[in-house]
Amino acid sequence: MEMELIWDDNKNSINRLKHGLDFVDAYLVLDSPYRLDITVIRNGEKRTQSFAYAFGKLAVLSVVQTVRKEKIRIISFRYASRIETEMYYDWLENDYEDPQ
């Protein structure tokens, strides 16, 4: 991981209780060579929702990239829904291009 990950500690505590995932492990998704990034706008803010395997399951990570100081702010870390998982598998099968 080239950029530092940052987050709100209270939001991370809530996320751990709700989803059982700690923001400290978000790099597992962000460092994946099989990561699918989708740009979304939430609350008037441009965010990137990243999908990749982590912990032997497909996990989805929503991030806000702050250009200032080159840091990635973690907003949410959860397992992908069934629909998101199907979309990811379709992307892997039909659109993924191996960078090697």
Side-chain angles (χ1 to χ4, degrees), residues 24-47:
V24 75
D25 296 319
Y27 75 91
L28 294 170
V29 170
L30 294 174
D31 285 350
S32 174
Y34 303 103
R35 187 181 82 215
L36 169 62
D37 291 334
I38 297 175
T39 300
V40 296
I41 304 294
R42 297 255 164 72
N43 302 321
E45 181 175 54
K46 183 179 174 182
R47 299 180 178 182

Side-chain angles (χ1 to χ4, degrees), residues 18 32 36 56 63-66 72 80:
K18 185 174 182 181
S32 174
L36 169 62
V63 301
V64 174
Q65 296 186 25
T66 57
I72 297 175

Side-chain angles (χ1 to χ4, degrees), residues 54-75:
F55 310 113
K57 294 186 177 185
L58 181 64
V60 60
L61 172 66
S62 295
V63 301
V64 174
Q65 296 186 25
T66 57
V67 176
R68 192 175 62 239
K69 299 183 185 177
E70 297 297 318
K71 295 181 181 179
I72 297 175
R73 182 170 181 83
I74 306 302
I75 301 300

